[in-house]
Amino acid sequence: MNPLSKLTIESTATLSSGRKIPLLGLGVWQNGSPIPACEAAFDAGYRHIDCAIVYRNEEDVGTAVRESTVKRDDIFVTSKVSSRWHGYDIALKAIDDSLNRFKLDYLDLYLIHDPFSGKAKRLETWRALIKRRDEGKLKSIGVSNYGVKHLEEIEEAGLETPSVNQIELHPWCQQRPIVEYCEKHNIVIEAYSPLTRGKYLDDPMLQSFAKKYRKDGAQILIRYSLQKGWVPLPKSSQTSRVLSNSQVYDFELNADEMKQLDALDKGKDGAVTWNPVDAP
């Protein structure tokens, strides 16, 4: 990864697959009409859209990608298969159905969305993702909401390590054991809900940093995530917010400020989402 001072909206990380993932992505959860947000993102310089089957907007995201003036190969598109469609054959079909809804020839990243299906089905689903990747329909594959034990079971089964683990991450929920495992095993860490769904945006420390840098709390949190080496996925349906969330490359949090934000960690109690990393 580039030195912090060199971070730009074009910065990428290299996945274990060898492919590049843009460090800033647009999340489209709870966005029933994501085309305007995607268009605003592309205009602002984003090249990464994070989707999922259960978001029920793969069709619209596909339309935004196909109709964009940005070349398809320059846009990184992710989707995810949740436990409702886990199992080998059903996951194979779910991946094909995703591609059909997007009307795209391939997806850049496909994730197991959650670990709720149990060990046997998780491993079957992982094998399905490997198959579709080997066929060229998926460029890279990974997981989401996986705790250390879920990642270890893949290793113990003798299967390849995921390229990505997407988990809830922000100063109040840092999931340090999972992050440490991922860093040790060359798994890129994506941060969902990096803005805490707004819960902590009024935090006094956050606001003091925002005032200092003439930014807002969301921009401080996105910058924090980038400097941690994560891939933040802020979501917004407001085009103005999509733009402002990208305006995080003209300042840098110093080491002491990063330590102060690190000290806010509440562990699992700081989570603002379902955070199912402890599923059996």
Side-chain angles (χ1 to χ4, degrees):
M1 193 177 298
N2 293 332
L4 297 181
S5 60
K6 301 292 186 181
L7 279 171
T8 73
I9 199 165
E10 297 177 350
S11 295
T12 61
T14 301
L15 300 173
S16 57
S17 62
R19 302 185 71 87
K20 305 284 190 182
I21 182 171
L23 292 188
L24 180 66
L26 173 71
V28 294
W29 179 62
Q30 287 189 326
N31 190 340
S33 302
I35 292 176
C38 290
E39 291 174 342
F42 298 147
D43 288 345
Y46 292 72
R47 294 295 181 264
H48 179 179
I49 308 294
D50 183 78
C51 195
I53 295 175
V54 294
Y55 297 175
R56 299 184 179 182
N57 53 16
E58 289 174 314
E59 296 92 338
D60 283 347
V61 170
T63 297
V65 170
R66 294 193 316 274
E67 295 183 352
S68 175
T69 56
V70 181
K71 292 191 300 182
R72 167 65 186 99
D73 288 349
D74 293 334
I75 302 174
F76 193 98
V77 183
T78 299
S79 198
K80 315 179 196 74
V81 58
S82 64
S83 50
R84 177 179 174 183
W85 297 280
H86 285 186
Y88 187 75
D89 291 328
I90 192 171
L92 289 174
K93 183 177 185 302
I95 295 164
D96 294 343
D97 289 346
S98 279
L99 284 162
N100 289 334
R101 285 189 291 268
F102 279 110
K103 293 187 172 66
L104 297 174
D105 294 331
Y106 67 91
L107 293 173
D108 298 272
L109 179 63
Y110 208 82
L111 307 179
I112 295 178
H113 200 158
D114 65 79
F116 282 129
S117 59
K119 179 178 179 178
K121 283 194 173 181
R122 286 193 294 265
L123 291 174
E124 286 180 23
T125 306
W126 187 236
R127 289 185 172 95
L129 267 63
I130 292 171
K131 178 176 173 61
R132 287 292 187 255
R133 191 276 318 278
D134 290 347
E135 294 170 347
K137 294 182 177 182
L138 312 173
K139 299 301 183 182
S140 300
I141 53 177
V143 296
S144 181
N145 295 299
Y146 265 40
V148 172
K149 70 176 180 180
H150 306 127
L151 295 165
E152 287 177 339
E153 75 188 15
I154 293 175
E155 183 179 9
E156 290 163 2
L159 299 173
E160 67 180 81
T161 302
S163 288
V164 164
N165 189 16
Q166 183 183 130
I167 55 178
E168 179 181 342
L169 281 174
H170 47 76
W172 294 269
C173 181
Q174 293 175 40
Q175 314 251 37
R176 292 179 183 178
I178 303 173
V179 168
E180 289 169 7
Y181 182 96
C182 290
E183 289 175 343
K184 181 179 178 181
H185 291 84
N186 193 31
I187 300 171
V188 168
I189 302 155
E190 291 189 314
Y192 75 75
S193 296
L195 308 183
T196 73
R197 295 188 179 176
K199 180 174 180 179
Y200 293 104
L201 288 182
D202 293 329
D203 178 85
M205 183 190 300
L206 198 61
Q207 287 303 311
S208 70
F209 295 163
K211 183 177 180 180
K212 173 183 174 181
Y213 291 108
R214 297 183 179 180
K215 295 292 179 179
D216 60 33
Q219 291 166 323
I220 299 296
L221 289 176
I222 293 167
R223 183 71 200 191
Y224 168 83
S225 191
L226 289 167
Q227 289 185 212
K228 293 292 285 186
W230 305 335
V231 178
L233 304 168
K235 73 176 188 69
S236 183
S237 58
Q238 301 176 38
T239 57
S240 60
R241 179 59 67 183
V242 171
L243 174 60
S244 65
N245 285 345
S246 72
Q247 295 170 332
V248 295
Y249 300 100
D250 56 353
F251 76 103
E252 181 177 337
L253 298 167
N254 64 41
D256 185 59
E257 289 162 347
M258 290 294 290
K259 286 181 181 178
Q260 290 180 64
L261 289 168
D262 282 343
L264 297 173
D265 192 19
K266 298 181 179 181
K268 294 167 188 173
D269 290 340
V272 298
T273 74
W274 61 335
N275 191 33
V277 295
D278 291 324

